[in-house]
Amino acid sequence: MTTLVRGRGWARTHPLAVDAALASTVLVCMVVGSFADPNGEHGPTWGTRTPDLPSLLLMALGALALFFRRRAPWTVLAATCAASITELLTGEPRAPVVMCAVIALYTVAATTDRSTTWRIGLVTMAGLTGVAMLSGPLPWYAQENLGIFAWTGMAAAAGDAVRSRRAFVDAIRERAERAERTREEEARRRVAEERLRIARDLHDVVAHHIALVNVQAGVAAHVMDKRPDQAKEALAHVRDASRSALDELRATVGLLRQTGDPEAPTEPAPGLHRLDELVETFRNAGLPVEVALGQVGLDLPAAVDLAAFRIIQEALTNVQKHAGSEAKAEVSVVRVGPNVEVTVLDDGPAHGQGGDGARKPNTDGGGHGLLGMRERVTALGGSCTAGPRYGGGFRVHAILPVITAKGGTA
């Protein structure tokens, strides 16, 4: 830390000491200047005149007023201007009491707005210069009178410049702090969104595969004694479903790994290219599923492809869990203009365990499946509806935009 920086810090923490030193310096300068005659025969001469007692008293009062310039700048300006005008009207020879008014005007200009600065600056310049020109034995164009005009004008300009610089520095500091806060908030928002996305993926993976494992384990337990071959087949499906669950969990949790961690996931995210594999797992679990896959194209954005797959997975899982053993499901994926429409229907009973006349998917999970589907679709700018069908069953319908309004991909 340099001496200048330490000095600024000390002055900022000891303002009264700074004002006292300034007042003392101004008093010394005024007293020394009162002994000089600027109108000597060969230029300014020293020791050719001596200030009288009233002039010394006015200089002392003006310097004392500067001690309070930070706490009451307007009052100090009025007091120093009054002392300066009194000296200009009565002093013979004149003493430089106007130096106090110059310092006070600078203080006011540095603490107020620009329009007020220029108004009070013009009033002060005109008042002090006018009194100096109209009074005293000197001609109105004397150097002393013009000096009052110049010094008061420079004081107002310097104070306004200092105020502008302080405001500029404060604005830059505030902008930097606001940018830092915005950056932190954006980082927290991105982390929250990533956590929500991972939570949705984990829910989709766990809910689907655990539901299949549960169904197949029940089948195996039911036919273990009478039909061991069918029990072995059910257990094989349990093994396949659990292996798939572990693989997808490993791929999802692998997103949380740090850079450079071993065994980073390299398997691509699931999509409609794995729809047949997904449907086959439900058929093996005893749920008949029919698929109608239109010409959706192979160039779907990764987010749309993943969302369509997860919506079908979650909807079929709900059918498996809540529609009953006799239910059938239909899956439809078609391209309609700039959108992909995903529909999953079932013909299960319309009455659920709640007895309120409507089946409630994912009642054991608090409805997180439907909530996750809606969040996925909303994040892509689409829409998702889910509810009972007229005449029985349930319907899930999602519209996923592939081409945005601006012509880009979703």
Side-chain angles (χ1 to χ4, degrees):
M1 183 181 294
T2 62
T3 304
L4 180 59
V5 174
R6 286 197 297 268
R8 287 180 177 176
W10 183 88
R12 193 177 296 112
T13 56
H14 300 82
L16 293 180
V18 174
D19 290 341
L22 176 63
S24 302
T25 303
V26 171
L27 178 60
V28 172
C29 291
M30 288 189 298
V31 172
V32 172
S34 62
F35 285 92
D37 182 8
N39 301 306
E41 182 178 356
H42 301 288
T45 56
W46 294 90
T48 57
R49 64 178 184 176
T50 302
D52 52 13
L53 183 60
S55 296
L56 292 174
L57 180 60
L58 289 174
M59 287 186 286
L61 291 176
L64 180 63
L66 292 179
F67 182 76
F68 305 96
R69 68 186 186 96
R70 296 179 191 265
R71 284 176 283 184
W74 289 94
T75 303
V76 171
L77 177 61
T80 53
C81 286
S84 300
I85 292 174
T86 302
E87 173 62 21
L88 292 174
L89 293 175
T90 61
E92 184 58 38
R94 292 175 179 175
V97 182
V98 74
M99 288 182 61
C100 300
V102 171
I103 301 298
L105 179 59
Y106 164 83
T107 304
V108 170
T111 55
T112 187
D113 58 275
R114 175 163 295 175
S115 60
T116 304
T117 295
W118 290 115
R119 284 197 297 268
I120 193 63
L122 290 175
V123 171
T124 304
M125 285 189 297
L128 295 179
T129 306
V131 171
M133 288 181 175
L134 296 177
S135 63
L138 298 176
W140 67 270
Y141 54 83
Q143 181 180 355
E144 294 183 17
N145 300 336
L146 298 179
I148 294 175
F149 180 84
W151 281 106
T152 50
M154 286 189 294
D160 181 71
V162 170
R163 180 200 55 77
S164 299
R165 182 182 180 278
R166 290 174 181 171
F168 178 73
V169 172
D170 292 340
I172 292 178
R173 184 181 296 110
E174 181 182 0
R175 190 179 299 113
E177 293 175 355
R178 185 167 60 250
E180 185 66 24
R181 290 193 301 267
T182 303
R183 190 180 302 110
E184 294 176 356
E185 292 173 359
E186 178 68 14
R188 287 194 295 267
R189 185 185 65 80
R190 290 181 179 275
V191 169
E193 290 179 353
E194 185 66 14
R195 288 176 177 173
L196 180 61
R197 188 186 66 79
I198 293 175
R200 286 199 302 262
D201 288 342
L202 288 176
H203 172 269
D204 294 341
V205 171
V206 172
H208 165 61
H209 291 290
I210 295 303
L212 294 181
V213 168
N214 181 47
V215 172
Q216 295 292 350
V219 171
H222 181 70
V223 300
M224 179 67 71
D225 297 331
K226 299 180 180 180
R227 287 175 287 177
D229 294 338
Q230 188 174 355
K232 290 181 180 180
E233 183 180 355
L235 291 176
H237 291 317
V238 169
R239 183 180 64 250
D240 294 338
S242 61
R243 182 185 299 112
S244 298
L246 289 175
D247 292 340
E248 292 200 26
L249 281 175
R250 186 179 298 110
T252 302
V253 177
L255 297 175
L256 302 177
R257 295 177 182 272
Q258 298 292 333
T259 304
D261 286 349
E263 298 182 2
T266 57
E267 182 181 358
L272 293 178
H273 62 280
R274 295 180 55 184
L275 182 58
D276 293 338
E277 177 184 346
L278 174 67
V279 171
E280 190 64 27
T281 59
F282 284 100
R283 290 171 178 166
N284 292 333
L287 175 64
V289 181
E290 295 183 4
V291 179
L293 185 61
Q295 297 295 329
V296 297
L298 301 177
D299 57 344
L300 291 179
V304 175
D305 197 20
L306 175 61
F309 180 86
R310 292 303 189 194
I311 290 170
I312 296 172
Q313 183 184 52
E314 178 61 30
L316 292 179
T317 301
N318 287 336
V319 174
Q320 180 74 48
K321 293 168 63 177
H322 303 289
S325 59
E326 302 298 327
K328 298 180 181 179
E330 298 179 6
V331 177
S332 172
V333 183
V334 295
R335 179 74 173 265
V336 181
N339 304 319
V340 170
E341 295 191 8
V342 179
T343 306
V344 180
L345 308 175
D346 70 80
D347 58 357
H351 296 279
Q353 298 176 355
D356 56 356
R359 174 152 44 94
K360 299 178 180 179
N362 267 1
T363 54
D364 58 344
H368 294 296
L370 292 180
L371 179 61
M373 282 192 288
R374 292 193 179 97
E375 288 177 346
R376 284 184 182 276
V377 176
T378 302
L380 296 174
S383 61
C384 179
T385 58
R389 297 172 60 195
Y390 179 77
F394 205 77
R395 177 177 182 268
V396 175
H397 181 67
I399 300 177
L400 303 174
V402 178
I403 301 177
T404 62
K406 296 181 179 180
T409 58

